[in-house]
Amino acid sequence: MGKDVFDSLVNLSTPSEDEAGASAIRRLETGIRRLTLILDDLNRELSLETLLERTMDAAVQLTGAERGFLVLADVAGRLDFRVASNDASRNIPDAERAASHTIIRKVLDGGEPILVNDIGDQAELKAQRSLAELHVRSVMGAPLRAGGRLLGAAYVDTTRPDTIFTPENLLLFQSFVHLATIALENARHLEAERVARRRVQALRAELNSILESLPLGIILIDKQAKIQYLNRAAQGILRPVRPIVGDNLLSKGNAGCPYLLRIFNALNEWLGGKVLEESEFELDGRILNYSFFEVLWDGSDIAQIGLLLEDVTENRALQRKLIESEKWSTVNQLAGGIAHEIKNSLQPICSGTEILQMTLKRNEAPGLPLQRQIEVIQNAAARIQHIVEDLNRLTRPVSPNFGPVDLGAVLKSAVSLMAITTGKLKDFVRDAADAPFQFQVDIPTTLPLIRGNASAIEGAIINLLLNAADAVRERGQGRILLKAGETSKDWVTITVEDTGTGIAPGALKRVYEPYFTTKSQGGTGLGLSIVRNTIEVHGGRIEMDSQLGKGTRIMLHFPSLVSSHSTH
């Protein structure tokens, strides 16, 4: 149709002065009023079913029809009977059986409105059971079409012999069908909008969940550095500062924060096209990494600026541990080779000095200068031998012959052995608060068993006690404390604590490096390396706390025999 159906309503022919013409005018006026009411309904939030029923009820009443049907058709041609009503505004049961499929198909296939009076003269329609049984006399039908798409069809019929549908009736009917089409399209758009809105909300919630779950801190700011979004990780990383959405990155509450000022300055440099040379800083013992990215909308200019924050403290610690591990590997290879060569070269020296000393004892009086020189050589060779043994212990793992170990017995044995052999604890008095050199021992009667090598653990304890004794002696007075206890259900801890000279912060970072020592003389720098190696082989860990001038505390943590951490 070239014109809109509403435009055609104005061009109806002038009615005659007879009663039929006046009646037609009244129906037309009533129809227009009903159209206006239904148009108002379309602007209200009524359900699609309500709109379709009101539209078809009005079409039935104003055209003088007895029944009306509205059917939707999908692309496969399947029919969906949405409205079936009669002139009493009651629903027709079993609409699919009551309706004329022939009329519906005729409208759908032709795609044009139809008007048929005297159905008895139409052979095709007369043969239809539904029309024949009801003695249908007149039928009007029209397609529901929107945007070139065929949505379905609607038709009305009547059995009254005095009711004949006219072209004016068809035009009015088409108007109502057109309104039904608008209602369907509106419903489709509204449903699409609701689906899109739910999808957007779901995507927003999903995106927010992802952003909140990320370990990376994310902050979105505008060009004026006003915060528009920040996730939970960013709030945690930036503690104790608490920036909030809407604040400027350097608002009054954040202005005194040096690292935020640093980020702000770096942002200005980045916006100016400068490549960031450094993007890390330390904060409360943590190492934080930051970077920027652009947020674009529709390919336009920068809409927002993204700031990524990451706490890389653990990563850097792992990197240092990896570097240290590689260094240890190299040192172990070198130390093993050196120890082997020294041991081979030392053997004839030791044997030769013993033979010389035996010969001198037979031929010369004791105490001669030559004999004393030989003793010096022997002592030096013994020290070299001791260093070689330390190197071997460093480069070889502790014996895998593990078994149940009573740590209390091991500690008592270590204390007794030191008192008898080394003499290092000679001046240290047990349980005497007024002595210049004090040695306190706190070992419970029973301790949980651990799985390990008793000799290796005893050697580690002796090493720590020797270091503690040297530190206290160097200070001139002080105390050594050796204690043990069950720190938790699964762990046993040995503590060696002294009030000696302590270790400087710079040196504390290197105490486990092979050959690094803080002793003024006599230290090989291998003791703590060997101790840590021993503890780690046992599945434990070592902790050290030291302050220069105040002393050192070392804690060895071992998994108990029943612990899931225990070495098998």
Side-chain angles (χ1 to χ4, degrees):
M1 296 179 64
K3 297 182 180 181
D4 189 272
V5 291
F6 298 113
D7 297 331
S8 302
L9 287 173
V10 182
N11 298 324
L12 292 173
S13 59
T14 303
S16 64
E17 296 296 327
D18 59 14
E19 185 63 27
S23 177
I25 291 296
R26 286 194 297 272
R27 286 200 304 271
L28 180 59
E29 291 174 346
T30 304
I32 292 175
R33 285 195 296 271
R34 293 294 294 272
L35 285 171
T36 303
L37 292 174
I38 293 175
L39 283 172
D40 290 338
D41 287 342
L42 289 174
N43 294 322
R44 295 161 57 193
E45 292 187 2
L46 296 177
S47 68
L48 176 61
E49 297 301 324
T50 300
L51 286 170
L52 294 179
E53 287 175 1
R54 288 189 181 184
T55 302
M56 287 303 296
D57 284 346
V60 169
Q61 292 174 16
L62 294 175
T63 59
E66 291 181 272
R67 302 190 310 164
F69 299 90
L70 190 145
V71 184
L72 301 183
D74 61 17
V75 293
R78 288 185 293 266
L79 301 181
D80 178 14
F81 289 79
R82 302 297 292 269
V83 180
S85 61
N86 56 28
D87 54 357
S89 298
R90 291 193 298 269
N91 291 332
I92 299 175
D94 197 3
E96 186 172 359
R97 178 178 176 82
S100 171
H101 288 246
T102 302
I103 295 294
I104 294 170
R105 291 297 177 188
K106 191 175 184 65
V107 174
L108 290 175
D109 294 343
E112 296 292 337
I114 64 170
L115 172 58
V116 180
N117 289 314
D118 297 324
I119 285 183
D121 297 335
Q122 301 284 334
E124 179 185 0
L125 300 179
K126 185 179 180 180
Q128 292 303 310
R129 177 183 52 78
S130 59
L131 297 176
E133 289 178 353
L134 291 172
H135 305 288
V136 172
R137 177 180 176 81
S138 297
V139 173
M140 286 190 301
L144 280 73
R145 189 182 297 277
R149 294 179 300 110
L150 187 62
L151 305 180
Y155 86 88
V156 294
D157 61 23
T158 181
T159 62
R160 297 189 185 101
D162 58 341
T163 302
I164 298 296
F165 295 138
T166 65
E168 289 79 6
N169 293 141
L170 179 60
L171 187 58
L172 189 61
F173 178 65
Q174 284 181 264
S175 301
F176 284 104
V177 171
H178 187 68
L179 288 180
T181 304
I182 294 174
L184 286 168
E185 281 297 281
N186 285 351
R188 185 176 67 86
H189 290 307
L190 287 173
E191 181 61 24
E193 183 182 350
R194 283 193 290 268
V195 171
R197 189 181 295 115
R198 288 195 296 268
R199 180 59 178 159
V200 168
Q201 292 173 347
L203 288 174
R204 183 181 288 114
E206 184 178 357
L207 176 61
N208 188 67
S209 177
I210 292 172
L211 292 177
E212 290 298 313
S213 302
L214 285 175
L216 294 176
I218 300 177
I219 301 178
L220 296 181
I221 56 179
D222 60 18
K223 290 184 178 180
Q224 286 71 44
K226 182 178 290 185
I227 299 173
Q228 298 182 341
Y229 171 82
L230 74 163
N231 66 350
R232 188 182 299 112
Q235 294 172 342
I237 291 173
L238 291 177
R239 67 181 189 276
V241 178
R242 297 184 179 276
I244 60 175
V245 173
D247 278 359
N248 190 280
L249 197 61
L250 290 181
S251 62
K252 184 182 295 185
N254 306 331
C257 183
Y259 62 86
L260 281 181
L261 178 61
R262 178 174 176 176
I263 292 175
F264 182 79
N265 293 333
L267 172 61
N268 288 329
E269 293 178 356
W270 179 77
L271 288 173
K274 185 177 180 180
V275 178
L276 298 180
E277 296 180 357
E278 187 177 3
S279 60
E280 286 187 359
F281 59 86
E282 289 194 18
L283 172 65
D284 297 335
R286 296 174 295 146
I287 302 175
L288 304 184
N289 179 279
Y290 63 90
S291 60
F292 305 105
F293 61 92
E294 299 176 352
V295 180
L296 305 177
W297 295 108
D298 299 326
S300 59
D301 195 11
I302 298 175
Q304 292 174 316
I305 301 161
L307 169 61
L308 286 180
L309 292 168
E310 182 179 10
D311 189 334
V312 296
T313 307
E314 292 186 3
N315 291 344
R316 296 296 177 266
L318 289 174
Q319 288 177 1
R320 286 195 297 270
K321 192 170 184 179
L322 179 61
I323 293 172
E324 186 178 351
S325 176
E326 293 176 350
K327 183 169 65 176
W328 265 69
S329 177
T330 302
V331 168
N332 284 349
Q333 294 179 22
L334 291 173
I338 293 172
H340 179 73
E341 294 298 328
I342 292 177
K343 185 175 182 180
N344 290 342
S345 301
L346 191 62
Q347 188 63 40
I349 295 176
C350 294
S351 300
T353 53
E354 289 180 3
I355 294 172
L356 284 174
Q357 193 171 37
M358 291 171 59
T359 302
L360 287 173
K361 284 182 179 179
R362 286 197 302 268
N363 300 322
E364 298 184 19
L368 291 179
L370 182 60
Q371 187 170 344
R372 287 198 296 273
Q373 290 297 321
I374 292 175
E375 289 176 354
V376 171
I377 294 173
Q378 283 183 319
N379 290 336
R383 175 160 178 75
I384 294 173
Q385 183 69 32
H386 178 69
I387 293 174
V388 169
E389 290 173 357
D390 280 350
L391 285 172
N392 284 331
R393 282 196 293 271
L394 175 66
T395 57
R396 287 198 307 267
V398 179
S399 171
N401 297 321
F402 282 6
V405 174
D406 181 352
L407 281 179
V410 170
L411 295 178
K412 293 173 184 176
S413 173
V415 172
S416 299
L417 186 63
M418 284 192 65
I420 296 172
T421 59
T422 66
K424 284 289 183 78
L425 297 181
K426 179 180 178 182
D427 298 328
F428 286 80
V429 181
R430 297 274 294 271
D431 303 323
D434 55 347
F437 299 104
Q438 305 165 31
F439 184 35
Q440 298 178 3
V441 179
D442 182 9
I443 304 173
T445 305
T446 58
L447 282 171
L449 296 178
I450 71 165
R451 185 176 181 80
N453 184 296
S455 297
I457 297 174
E458 184 178 20
I461 300 301
I462 290 174
N463 204 317
L464 296 180
L465 289 174
L466 289 174
N467 287 345
D470 288 340
V472 173
R473 285 184 183 280
E474 188 173 346
R475 188 177 183 182
Q477 64 176 6
R479 172 182 59 87
I480 298 175
L481 170 64
L482 172 64
K483 67 177 181 178
E486 186 178 5
T487 53
S488 69
K489 177 182 175 182
D490 296 334
W491 293 88
V492 183
T493 299
I494 299 173
T495 302
V496 177
E497 185 176 330
D498 68 69
T499 59
T501 54
I503 304 172
L508 192 61
K509 299 177 180 178
R510 302 183 57 195
V511 292
Y512 298 116
E513 293 182 10
Y515 310 112
F516 177 80
T517 181
T518 59
K519 294 181 181 179
S520 56
Q521 59 180 2
T524 64
L526 295 174
L528 285 177
S529 299
I530 295 170
V531 170
R532 186 173 72 168
N533 183 42
T534 301
I535 304 308
E536 288 180 349
V537 167
H538 282 77
R541 64 182 191 277
I542 182 171
E543 294 183 46
M544 177 182 289
D545 179 26
S546 184
Q547 290 184 312
L548 189 62
K550 293 186 177 181
T552 302
R553 180 175 59 192
I554 299 176
M555 292 182 290
L556 310 179
H557 304 284
F558 294 91
S560 65
L561 192 60
V562 297
S563 168
S564 59
H565 306 282
S566 180
T567 304
H568 297 286

